[in-house]
């Protein structure tokens, strides 16, 4: 099972903090560094020193790291025009030497849109479907040929469809809990399907829906990677677990019920259950970005037991 580090910088993190965590992610042998795409803090956090842009951050990290994959869970479709997004992501992929992955979602946090003057359209999911068609269409158009799209929400005419990503096929992630439209989109466009903050039962159910949708679309279900995103809180003993839970404003029992919390052995055991449910990759939501010892503990005592 691949372990990836997943951060929520809108809760309060500078670029320098993210760079430190990304370098630790690389040095400690994790597979990837991902971040959310939000401009407003949630809950009781004051969000200081303020938001960082997801793709500007990843562009910087692309030049400061060498091995790890870089991406978003999830880029908000409401934030960027799809043609512009395709250019941005392709450029960052070139800057990284081909290590970028795009998680793309519809966008959901209305309050941050109001706070920064970003339109929050009613028909977000239908827009997302067009965005996926445009972004993947621009990248897959043969060099020297043009791409056009005449949709309800977006129109592109004779685009040169440049630049191209460094990767021949830049991985696209789609995720969520939707029972019908989300699996259908994943079957058509995704290289990976991610379900965030889900129980084992919900994970099995949603993976089954995606696999069925892939078969219906004439695609092998095994073509997709299936992954989870789960909050992580690991400690060498109960006191360390409790200290880390308190630092992120959570209760230990709640974290154990809804995430990956406890001793390394407890976390390895729970990861095994998610693997049995069909997950081959887990994004560890790390909420205290100053606690690099937490990452070291996971690297040294959890990761080696996963095979």
């Amino acid at each position: 099972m691949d372990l990836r580090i997943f951060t929520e910088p809108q809760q309060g993190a500078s670029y320098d903090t993210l760079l430190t965590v990304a370098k630790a992610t690389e040095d400690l042998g994790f597979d990837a560094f991902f971040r959310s795409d939000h401009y407003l803090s949630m809950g009781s956090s004051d969000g200081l020193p303020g938001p960082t842009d997801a793709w500007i951050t990843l562009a910087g990290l692309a030049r400061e790291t060498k091995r790890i994959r870089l991406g978003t869970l999830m880029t908000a479709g409401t934030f960027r025009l799809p043609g512009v997004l395709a250019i941005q992501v392709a450029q960052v992929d070139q800057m990284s030497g081909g290590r970028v992955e795009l998680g793309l979602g519809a966008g959901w946090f209305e309050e941050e849109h109001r706070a920064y003057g970003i339109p929050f359209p009613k028909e977000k999911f239908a827009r997302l479907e067009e965005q996926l068609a445009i972004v993947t269409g621009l990248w897959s158009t043969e060099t020297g040929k043009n791409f056009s799209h005449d949709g309800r929400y977006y129109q592109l005419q004779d685009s040169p469809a440049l630049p191209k990503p460094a990767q021949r096929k830049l991985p696209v992630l789609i995720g969520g809990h939707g029972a019908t439209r989300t699996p259908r989109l994943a079957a058509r466009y995704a290289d990976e399907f991610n379900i965030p903050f889900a129980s084992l039962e919900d994970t099995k159910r949603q993976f089954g829906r995606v696999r069925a949708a892939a078969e219906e679309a004439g695609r092998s279900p095994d073509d997709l990677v299936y992954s989870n995103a789960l909050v992580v809180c690991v400690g060498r003993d109960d006191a360390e677990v409790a200290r880390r839970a308190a630092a992120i404003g959570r209760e230990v029992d709640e974290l154990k019920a809804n995430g990956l919390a406890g001793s390394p052995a407890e976390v390895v055991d729970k990861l095994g259950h998610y693997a049995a449910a069909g997950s081959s990759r887990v994004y560890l939501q790390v909420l205290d970005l100053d606690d690099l010892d937490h990452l070291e503990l996971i690297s040294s005592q959890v990761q080696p037991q996963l095979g």
Side-chain angles (χ1 to χ4, degrees):
M1 177 176 282
D2 295 334
L3 293 185
R4 295 181 160 191
I5 300 304
F6 170 42
T7 62
E8 301 273 8
Q10 76 278 356
Q11 299 302 97
S14 66
Y15 172 76
D16 287 340
T17 297
L18 295 172
L19 175 60
T20 298
V21 175
K23 287 186 171 181
T25 297
E26 185 159 86
D27 292 343
L28 292 170
F30 292 103
D31 183 61
F33 174 94
F34 271 57
R35 60 156 291 164
S36 61
D37 187 15
H38 285 294
Y39 293 133
L40 196 67
S41 62
M42 304 170 197
S44 60
S45 171
D46 59 19
L48 293 173
T52 50
D53 182 84
W55 285 101
I56 290 177
T57 296
L58 295 176
L61 298 181
R63 307 302 289 179
E64 298 280 359
T65 59
K66 297 178 180 179
R67 177 188 60 80
I68 51 173
R69 307 289 294 178
L70 301 166
T72 50
L73 282 183
M74 298 284 187
T75 285
T78 49
F79 287 175
R80 301 166 185 88
L81 295 170
V84 174
L85 179 64
I87 292 170
Q88 291 173 325
V89 177
Q91 182 179 359
V92 178
D93 194 49
Q94 292 174 357
M95 292 168 69
S96 72
R99 293 183 285 122
V100 162
E101 304 182 11
L102 170 64
L104 184 59
W108 62 271
F109 190 19
E110 185 173 3
E111 187 177 347
E112 71 184 336
H113 292 73
R114 292 198 304 267
Y116 286 96
I118 303 167
F120 191 69
K122 181 178 180 181
E123 295 295 332
K124 293 183 292 299
F125 200 92
R127 289 173 182 269
L128 172 62
E129 188 162 8
E130 280 196 38
Q131 290 164 341
L132 286 162
I134 292 166
V135 170
T136 59
L138 287 167
W139 291 340
S140 62
T141 296
E142 184 180 337
T143 300
K145 295 186 177 181
N146 291 343
F147 174 85
S148 296
H149 176 89
D150 186 16
R152 179 178 179 184
Y153 303 104
Y154 305 103
Q155 296 81 40
L156 286 75
Q157 184 175 347
D158 295 329
S159 170
L162 296 172
K164 303 299 187 191
Q167 299 172 85
R168 184 185 63 81
K169 176 69 174 71
L170 191 150
V172 172
L173 289 74
I174 295 173
H177 294 258
T180 304
R181 293 189 297 175
T182 297
R184 177 177 57 80
L185 276 190
R188 183 171 181 182
Y189 292 108
D191 300 283
E192 177 177 338
F193 180 79
N194 177 269
I195 184 165
F197 315 117
S199 67
L200 285 164
E201 293 74 18
D202 288 344
T203 295
K204 292 176 186 176
R205 186 180 304 112
Q206 189 70 336
F207 285 174
R209 290 170 177 152
V210 175
R211 297 181 72 88
E215 288 186 342
E216 186 176 341
R219 182 180 181 187
S220 170
D222 292 334
D223 284 348
L224 285 87
V225 173
Y226 298 87
S227 64
N228 289 85
L230 295 162
V231 63
V232 67
C233 181
V234 188
R236 295 172 180 82
D237 51 37
D238 290 346
E240 191 166 80
V241 174
R243 175 177 62 78
R244 289 200 163 109
I248 60 174
R250 304 280 285 269
E251 298 292 333
V252 172
D253 289 345
E254 178 268 323
L255 287 169
K256 287 188 176 184
N258 298 311
L260 300 169
S263 68
E266 288 178 284
V267 170
V268 168
D269 180 67
K270 193 160 187 181
L271 285 168
H273 289 294
Y274 276 98
S279 183
S280 63
R281 178 174 291 158
V282 173
Y283 294 80
L284 304 176
Q285 186 195 43
V286 177
L287 295 176
D288 184 354
L289 299 183
D290 294 320
D291 187 1
L292 298 183
D293 288 342
H294 192 197
L295 299 187
E296 194 283 327
L297 176 63
I298 298 167
S299 171
S300 64
Q301 298 195 30
V302 174
Q303 194 159 236
Q305 299 186 58
L306 300 179

